[in-house]
C-alpha cells in the first residue's frame, strides 16, 4: 500500500455465508457499503480495528452482488450492529430475511493509485471488529459501487479460510522454539501494578507509533511459584529446568538452553507433568538424564501488556515482573521484559523485518522507562543468574536436595 493517506474507506457488509462458505454465493446477495473515514493506524497497515461508536454518521449504500442498487441512507455507526446483529436501518435497506446473517465482510481502503486494499473480518462483536489485510496489491479498480473488487476479495478470503476463520486467528510464530527477549532491571523496585497500568494507557493512546494493545487481548495477570534447577552439564545441556504448578495439581516444565544470558534462548514447554515437588530433582536426573542443582524456589508476580504492531501484525509482550524468594521475601528481582509472542499476518514472512520491529520497540521502551526513572539500560539478566547471585551472597538459601 502507498504511504500516502488513503483516499476513502468502507466497511463492507454481507451474508456470513460469503465468509464461511456454508451456502453458495448468489447474484441477489446484498452487499452494503458503509463509507467511513480511514481507520488505519499506519500505512502500510496489516491490522485495522473499528469501533462502531466512533464512526459517526455514515453514508450507506446497499447493492446486490450483481450490481443492482437497493437503497441509500445515512446510519449512525453505533446503530449498525447493536448486540452484534443488524440494526433497524440495515433491515429497512435490505429486508429482514437478508439481514439475519449480515456481518462485516471486510474493510476496504481505496488506494491513491487506483484499486482497493481489502482487510478480511476476523473478529466481530457488538462493540467493534478486527480486520486483517488479505491483498498484497490493490484490486478492482473503478468506482467502488461497480464491485469489481468483490470477487478478488472473496476469492482471497476463500483461499485462506482455514487461517482466517479458525478460533485463534494467529497464523505463524517466527523462530518457533526460541525465546527472543530484552530485559530491563528496575531499580529501585517499583510497585509494578500502577507502572503496568500507565504503560497500557500509553499504548492505548498511541504513544508507541503504529502500535496498539493487542485486539481483545490487552492484559494478562500471572501469579505462581517457580521451582528452578540449574542444569550444570554437559555444556550442550546448560541452562535451566523449572517446574510451575497449575491449578489442577499438575506442573508445567519449562526448559531453556543457554550457556550465558543472551537475547535468543532455545525453549521447550511441557504441560500436565504429574509429579510431587519432592521428586522434581529425581525426575530431571532419571527421566531426562540431566545433571542439576536445585535453586531457591521463588514467587513470581507478572503483569503482561500485549502490544501489537498494526503495521506488521507482530505481537510483543511487555511484562512488569517481580520475583521474590519464598525463603527470603526481601530478596527481589524486579524487571521489565519485552518478548516476541506471535504474528497475525497472512502476507508477511520476513523474519528480519520482525527483528527490526522488535528493535524499534526496544528503543522506545528503554526511552519510556528511562524517562520515568525505572531503568537506564537494556540487559539480558536471567532468573537463573538472579538465583545464582542470591545463593552466592547468602549460601544458607541453597536448597539441600
Amino acid at each position: 500500500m502507498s504511504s500516502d493517506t488513503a483516499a476513502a474507506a468502507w466497511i463492507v457488509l454481507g451474508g456470513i455465508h460469503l465468509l464461511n462458505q456454508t451456502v453458495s454465493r448468489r447474484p441477489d446477495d446484498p452487499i452494503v457499503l458503509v463509507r467511513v473515514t480511514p481507520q488505519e493506524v499506519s500505512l502500510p497497515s496489516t491490522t485495522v480495528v473499528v469501533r462502531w461508536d466512533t464512526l459517526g454518521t455514515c453514508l450507506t449504500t446497499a447493492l446486490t452482488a450483481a450490481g443492482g442498487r437497493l437503497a441509500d441512507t445515512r446510519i449512525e455507526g453505533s446503530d449498525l450492529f447493536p448486540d452484534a446483529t443488524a440494526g433497524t436501518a440495515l433491515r429497512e435497506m435490505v429486508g429482514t430475511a437478508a439481514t439475519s446473517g449480515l456481518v462485516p465482510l471486510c474493510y476496504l481502503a481505496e488506494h491513491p493509485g487506483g484499486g482497493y486494499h481489502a482487510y478480511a473480518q476476523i473478529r466481530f462483536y457488538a462493540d467493534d471488529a478486527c480486520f486483517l489485510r488479505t491483498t498484497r496489491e490493490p484490486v478492482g479498480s473503478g468506482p467502488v459501487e461497480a464491485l469489481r473488487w468483490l470477487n478478488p476479495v472473496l476469492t482471497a478470503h476463500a483461499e485462506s479460510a482455514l487461517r482466517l476463520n479458525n478460533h485463534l486467528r494467529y497464523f505463524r510464530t517466527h523462530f518457533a522454539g526460541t525465546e527472543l527477549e530484552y530485559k530491563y532491571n528496575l531499580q529501585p523496585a517499583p510497585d509494578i501494578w500502577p507502572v503496568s497500568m500507565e504503560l497500557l494507557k500509553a499504548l492505548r493512546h498511541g504513544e508507541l507509533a503504529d502500535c496498539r494493545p493487542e485486539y481483545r487481548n490487552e492484559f494478562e495477570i500471572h501469579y505462581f511459584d517457580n521451582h528452578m534447577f540449574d542444569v550444570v552439564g554437559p555444556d550442550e545441556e546448560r541452562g535451566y529446568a523449572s517446574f510451575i504448578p497449575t491449578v489442577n495439581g499438575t506442573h508445567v516444565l519449562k526448559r531453556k538452553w543457554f550457556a550465558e544470558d543472551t537475547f535468543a534462548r532455545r525453549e521447550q514447554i511441557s504441560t500436565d507433568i504429574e509429579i510431587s515437588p519432592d521428586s522434581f530433582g529425581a525426575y530431571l536426573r532419571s527421566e531426562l538424564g540431566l545433571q542439576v542443582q536445585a535453586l531457591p524456589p521463588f514467587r513470581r508476580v507478572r503483569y503482561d501488556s500485549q502490544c501489537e504492531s498494526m503495521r506488521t501484525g507482530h505481537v510483543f509482550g511487555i511484562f512488569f515482573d517481580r520475583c521474590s524468594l519464598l525463603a527470603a521475601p526481601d530478596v527481589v528481582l524486579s524487571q521489565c521484559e519485552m518478548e516476541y509472542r506471535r504474528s497475525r499476518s497472512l502476507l508477511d514472512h520476513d523474519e528480519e523485518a520482525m527483528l527490526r520491529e522488535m528493535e524499534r520497540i526496544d528503543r522506545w521502551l528503554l526511552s519510556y522507562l528511562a524517562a520515568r526513572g525505572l531503568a537506564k539500560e537494556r540487559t539480558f539478566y536471567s532468573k537463573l543468574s538472579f538465583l545464582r547471585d542470591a545463593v552466592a551472597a547468602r549460601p544458607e538459601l541453597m536448597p539441600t536436595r
Side-chain angles (χ1 to χ4, degrees):
M1 182 182 290
S2 167
S3 59
D4 298 331
T5 302
W10 293 262
I11 299 167
V12 181
L13 317 180
I16 184 64
H17 65 281
L18 299 177
L19 299 184
N20 64 25
Q21 301 158 43
T22 54
V23 177
S24 299
R25 293 163 56 181
R26 300 181 299 269
D28 62 346
D29 284 331
I31 302 295
V32 181
L33 305 175
V34 182
R35 181 157 183 165
V36 298
T37 57
Q39 300 289 303
E40 301 95 318
V41 165
S42 64
L43 291 174
S45 182
T46 293
T47 309
V48 173
V49 174
V50 173
R51 287 192 57 87
W52 308 122
D53 62 2
T54 65
L55 295 178
T57 303
C58 305
L59 178 62
T60 304
T61 299
L63 309 166
T64 68
R69 208 172 195 94
L70 298 175
D72 295 275
T73 191
R74 292 182 179 273
I75 304 178
E76 284 294 317
S78 57
D79 294 333
L80 287 168
F81 289 104
D83 299 316
T85 57
T88 301
L90 287 175
R91 290 197 298 272
E92 291 175 350
M93 292 186 79
V94 302
T96 300
T99 56
S100 61
L102 202 68
V103 299
L105 297 180
C106 66
Y107 171 85
L108 199 68
E110 185 178 24
H111 188 276
Y116 304 87
H117 270 295
Y119 298 71
Q121 181 260 109
I122 59 172
R123 296 285 193 191
F124 166 46
Y125 298 92
D127 300 327
D128 54 28
C130 183
F131 302 84
L132 186 78
R133 185 152 64 99
T134 54
T135 54
R136 194 174 296 277
E137 301 296 335
V139 297
S141 61
V144 68
E145 294 87 353
L147 303 184
R148 297 190 186 103
W149 48 267
L150 182 61
N151 282 339
V153 166
L154 293 180
T155 298
H157 190 287
E159 289 172 349
S160 297
L162 291 178
R163 291 180 174 181
L164 291 167
N165 294 344
N166 76 82
H167 70 293
L168 290 177
R169 273 74 169 184
Y170 295 116
F171 309 130
R172 63 177 51 85
T173 299
H174 294 296
F175 303 100
T178 301
E179 176 189 63
L180 304 175
E181 185 176 65
Y182 294 124
K183 298 174 183 286
Y184 320 82
N185 289 344
L186 306 179
Q187 295 175 335
D191 180 347
I192 61 173
W193 177 261
V195 170
S196 299
M197 293 299 99
E198 184 181 4
L199 175 76
L200 188 56
K201 179 180 177 181
L203 294 175
R204 286 172 178 156
H205 290 197
E207 292 187 26
L208 173 53
D210 299 341
C211 291
R212 292 294 186 274
E214 185 183 19
Y215 179 73
R216 295 270 169 169
N217 190 28
E218 289 190 343
F219 191 70
E220 297 175 356
I221 295 174
H222 298 269
Y223 182 94
F224 54 86
D225 291 345
N226 196 314
H227 300 262
M228 184 177 289
F229 290 77
D230 191 352
V231 179
V232 295
D235 287 348
E236 64 270 15
E237 295 295 341
R238 295 294 295 270
Y240 73 73
S242 66
F243 292 90
I244 300 168
T246 68
V247 295
N248 63 6
T250 64
H251 289 83
V252 172
L253 172 58
K254 182 180 291 187
R255 180 77 170 93
K256 293 188 182 179
W257 288 260
F258 59 98
E260 59 184 22
D261 293 343
T262 59
F263 167 64
R265 302 164 182 172
R266 181 182 163 202
E267 178 181 61
Q268 185 178 71
I269 297 175
S270 303
T271 59
D272 296 324
I273 305 294
E274 296 185 4
I275 189 173
S276 68
D278 291 341
S279 303
F280 288 158
Y283 178 90
L284 296 173
R285 295 182 185 98
S286 63
E287 298 296 323
L288 301 185
L290 299 177
Q291 301 175 39
V292 296
Q293 170 61 58
L295 293 167
F298 60 93
R299 177 154 295 165
R300 189 173 189 184
V301 180
R302 198 180 85 184
Y303 302 130
D304 297 4
S305 294
Q306 310 291 355
C307 170
E308 179 174 355
S309 170
M310 310 301 275
R311 180 172 61 189
T312 66
H314 303 311
V315 178
F316 303 92
I318 301 177
F319 317 145
F320 285 98
D321 195 1
R322 185 184 190 276
C323 297
S324 58
L325 301 192
L326 297 183
D330 60 308
V331 180
V332 172
L333 173 65
S334 183
Q335 290 185 311
C336 178
E337 303 177 358
M338 195 267 284
E339 176 184 331
Y340 168 68
R341 304 302 300 273
R342 51 189 164 259
S343 297
R344 192 211 311 264
S345 172
L346 285 176
L347 307 178
D348 175 30
H349 301 269
D350 189 346
E351 292 183 339
E352 291 300 317
M354 188 282 291
L355 293 174
R356 289 193 297 272
E357 186 72 340
M358 191 170 185
E359 290 170 357
R360 180 180 77 90
I361 295 174
D362 164 57
R363 291 191 296 271
W364 176 86
L365 182 56
L366 182 55
S367 175
Y368 176 93
L369 296 172
R372 288 155 180 79
L374 296 170
K376 295 181 179 179
E377 60 185 2
R378 186 221 300 144
T379 182
F380 301 113
Y381 189 66
S382 67
K383 306 297 184 294
L384 178 59
S385 292
F386 162 63
L387 296 176
R388 286 172 173 170
D389 291 346
V391 298
R394 295 173 57 176
E396 72 276 12
L397 295 175
M398 177 68 81
T400 57
R401 67 181 188 278

